[in-house]
């Protein structure tokens, strides 16, 4: 039996928000979770006063563990509708199944997005696609990357929506889950959305710096990185009182802070054959962050080795292995155009920190 591939290539996409006067970047903002009518309307009013055109609010919130706040539910949909009536903002929310789609569309939602956990499940995405097709409504649909770094799974989710007849489709890059402590809540792994851009140059890509960083103080820098890579917009969590938010309070900003962030972004519209100094510095900043993450990962492995040595009463320093490692990496470094002295200095510093951490474990 042969299997026919019915997926199309998303070649005739339409603008996400036709008729809406939006200057790049597109800004979508609002609270992580809809909590009360007052909270929703106050946040929306402030955002509208600052020029935001599209309001986001989580009605249903998939959580990692049971017992957490999983959203106010459909009781919050009329509040979103009031936002549209009183401020003129377009309204959007996350959907994870057929019932969510039907309820959201009946409430007049202008855009829905599919979350990272849902986009990783082809059955769930197909259910949403079928519900959208049955509705016959023209609506914008954004698809977040799956929690795991799988570009094909991400593309597949968007193709399912496309095959349901939806032509206003966009991607949301929200980073990828990883284990252990890191600078970011979800690692950006920028090469994945960059490859998505290469394959589908007309597909709008929105960055979600709130979920990438998990920290409000890092939102501005990641937003700038996204724009420097020619992303089309940002979806940022904004709350009138973020410190009192019922979910993800550390990654939400007030509308006024959001306004400062947006107004300080540099939008690079000109295409040049060589990168300017500011762009090169942005690359250096990203690489520095990646180096820190790799070093932290190496130290975690170092600590595991320290625990093993302690359990088996092994010495912390094994000079022969260190000498062999140094010789090999110095040679490899020279072949890559770096001096032997530079490589030795770097490896010596790393080794010194590794020994220090192992000694702490062994001497506990």
């Amino acid at each position: 039996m042969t299997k026919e591939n019915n997926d199309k290539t998303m070649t005739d996409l339409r603008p996400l928000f036709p008729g809406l006067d939006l200057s790049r970047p597109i800004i979508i903002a609002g609270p992580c979770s809809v909590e009360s009518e007052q909270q929703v309307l106050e946040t929306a009013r402030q955002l509208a006063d600052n020029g935001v055109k599209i309001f986001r609010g989580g009605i249903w919130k998939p959580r990692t563990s049971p017992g957490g706040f999983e959203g106010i539910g459909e009781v919050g949909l009329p509040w979103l509708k009031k936002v549209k009536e009183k401020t003129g903002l377009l309204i959007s929310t996350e959907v994870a199944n057929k019932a969510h789609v039907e309820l959201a569309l009946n409430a007049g939602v202008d855009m829905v997005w599919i979350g990272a956990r849902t986009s990783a499940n082809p059955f769930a995405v197909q259910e949403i696609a079928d519900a959208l097709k049955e509705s016959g409504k023209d609506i914008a649909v954004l698809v977040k990357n799956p929690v795991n770094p799988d570009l094909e799974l991400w593309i597949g989710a968007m193709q399912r929506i496309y095959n349901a007849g939806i032509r206003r489709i966009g991607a949301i890059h929200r980073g990828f889950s990883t284990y252990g402590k890191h600078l970011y809540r979800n690692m950006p792994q920028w090469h994945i959305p960059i490859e998505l851009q290469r394959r589908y140059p007309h597909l709008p890509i929105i960055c979600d710096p709130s979920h990438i960083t998990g920290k409000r103080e890092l939102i501005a820098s990641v937003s700038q990185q996204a724009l420097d890579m020619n992303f089309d917009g940002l979806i940022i969590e904004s709350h009138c009182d973020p410190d009192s938010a019922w979910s993800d309070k550390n990654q939400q900003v007030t509308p006024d802070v959001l306004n400062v962030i947006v107004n300080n972004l540099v939008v690079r519209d000109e295409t040049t054959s060589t990168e300017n100094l500011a762009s090169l510095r942005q690359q250096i900043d990203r690489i520095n962050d990646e180096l820190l993450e790799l070093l932290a990962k190496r130290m975690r492995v170092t600590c595991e080795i320290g625990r093993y040595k302690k359990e088996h009463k092994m010495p912390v320093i094994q000079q022969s292995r260190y000498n062999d490692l140094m010789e090999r990496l110095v040679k490899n470094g020279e072949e890559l155009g770096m001096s032997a002295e530079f490589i030795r200095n770097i490896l010596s510093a790393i080794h010194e920190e590794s020994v220090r951490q192992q000694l702490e474990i062994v001497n506990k």
Side-chain angles (χ1 to χ4, degrees):
M1 179 184 294
T2 60
K3 183 180 73 171
E4 181 181 356
N5 185 349
N6 293 317
D7 286 335
K8 302 181 179 65
T9 57
M10 297 190 289
T11 55
D12 58 338
L13 295 176
R14 295 174 48 217
L16 286 173
F17 308 106
L20 188 62
D21 182 17
L22 288 173
S23 58
R24 181 176 175 264
I26 297 170
I27 303 296
I28 304 167
C32 172
S33 299
V34 167
E35 301 165 2
S36 69
E37 182 174 346
Q38 180 181 359
Q39 169 244 8
V40 169
L41 292 176
E42 178 59 24
T43 303
R45 182 191 63 77
Q46 293 182 35
L47 290 170
D49 288 346
N50 288 335
V52 172
K53 304 294 185 183
I54 307 162
F55 184 83
R56 57 142 291 152
I59 295 290
W60 302 279
K61 300 297 298 180
R63 312 305 294 178
T64 301
S65 303
F69 175 62
E70 296 185 330
I72 203 77
E74 62 181 289
V75 68
L77 287 170
W79 306 339
L80 290 184
K81 195 171 183 179
K82 280 191 177 181
V83 165
K84 190 174 183 179
E85 293 169 353
K86 292 183 177 295
T87 68
L89 293 175
L90 299 183
I91 54 175
S92 63
T93 196
E94 179 178 346
V95 295
N97 56 43
K98 179 180 180 180
H100 292 171
V101 172
E102 293 173 346
L103 288 166
L105 294 180
N106 289 338
V109 166
D110 300 286
M111 181 191 81
V112 296
W113 74 85
I114 300 173
R117 293 175 177 85
T118 307
S119 65
N121 183 341
F123 292 113
V125 176
Q126 190 60 54
E127 179 181 322
I128 292 169
D130 292 342
L132 290 167
K133 185 175 183 178
E134 289 172 11
S135 76
K137 294 186 178 180
D138 180 27
I139 189 171
V141 180
L142 301 182
V143 182
K144 287 194 173 187
N145 61 260
V147 289
N148 50 311
D150 188 334
L151 177 58
E152 303 307 324
L153 190 59
W154 192 6
I155 292 173
M158 288 182 282
Q159 287 175 329
R160 290 176 186 276
I161 301 301
Y162 184 91
N163 291 345
I166 302 298
R167 293 297 178 265
R168 294 162 58 198
I169 301 174
I172 299 178
H173 173 50
R174 50 80 76 188
F176 301 92
S177 299
T178 187
Y179 182 74
K181 293 182 179 180
H182 299 274
L183 176 63
Y184 298 126
R185 177 180 178 181
N186 295 292
M187 297 302 295
Q189 300 203 40
W190 296 107
H191 65 283
I192 295 177
I194 288 172
E195 175 61 14
L196 180 64
Q197 284 179 320
R198 187 190 69 79
R199 293 201 206 177
Y200 299 95
H202 301 298
L203 175 73
I205 303 183
I206 309 295
C207 182
D208 181 350
S210 302
H211 280 89
I212 287 176
T213 65
K215 303 170 187 174
R216 61 176 69 116
E217 60 268 22
L218 297 177
I219 287 174
S221 62
V222 169
S223 296
Q224 185 64 62
Q225 289 179 44
L227 294 191
D228 288 344
M229 287 182 281
N230 206 33
F231 280 43
D232 297 278
L234 306 165
I235 180 168
I236 298 177
E237 293 186 345
S238 181
H239 191 296
C240 58
D241 184 13
D243 288 332
S244 300
W246 295 1
S247 60
D248 289 347
K249 65 180 182 180
N250 293 330
Q251 66 188 43
Q252 300 193 64
V253 296
T254 65
D256 285 343
V257 169
L258 174 65
N259 194 44
V260 172
I261 291 172
V262 171
N263 287 335
N264 281 284
L265 292 173
V266 178
V267 181
R268 310 183 199 285
D269 290 326
E270 295 182 1
T271 301
T272 56
S273 58
T274 59
E275 294 176 291
N276 59 27
L277 185 59
S279 178
L280 291 170
R281 284 172 174 165
Q282 289 288 337
Q283 289 189 50
I284 290 293
D285 289 343
R286 289 196 294 272
I287 294 169
N288 286 340
D289 289 342
E290 292 168 5
L291 284 172
L292 285 175
E293 292 291 344
L294 286 172
L295 285 171
K297 183 176 181 180
R298 188 190 190 283
M299 293 305 164
R300 286 194 292 273
V301 176
T302 290
C303 289
E304 290 298 318
I305 293 173
R307 294 184 188 97
Y308 183 91
K309 289 177 178 178
K310 180 177 181 179
E311 182 181 348
H312 293 83
K313 296 182 173 57
M314 296 172 61
V316 167
I317 298 176
Q318 296 179 316
Q319 195 64 45
S320 61
R321 168 170 166 73
Y322 176 66
N323 291 341
D324 292 341
L325 182 68
M326 178 70 78
E327 181 179 348
R328 178 174 64 84
L329 293 181
V330 166
K331 180 181 178 182
N332 291 346
E334 287 181 313
E335 291 177 355
L336 293 171
M338 292 173 280
S339 72
E341 181 181 4
F342 171 73
I343 297 298
R344 288 193 186 96
N345 288 338
I346 292 293
L347 292 177
S348 295
I350 292 173
H351 183 252
E352 182 179 347
E353 177 63 12
S354 298
V355 170
R356 184 191 68 78
Q357 293 198 22
Q358 288 191 16
L359 286 173
E360 285 187 355
I361 292 170
V362 169
N363 294 325
K364 279 184 180 179

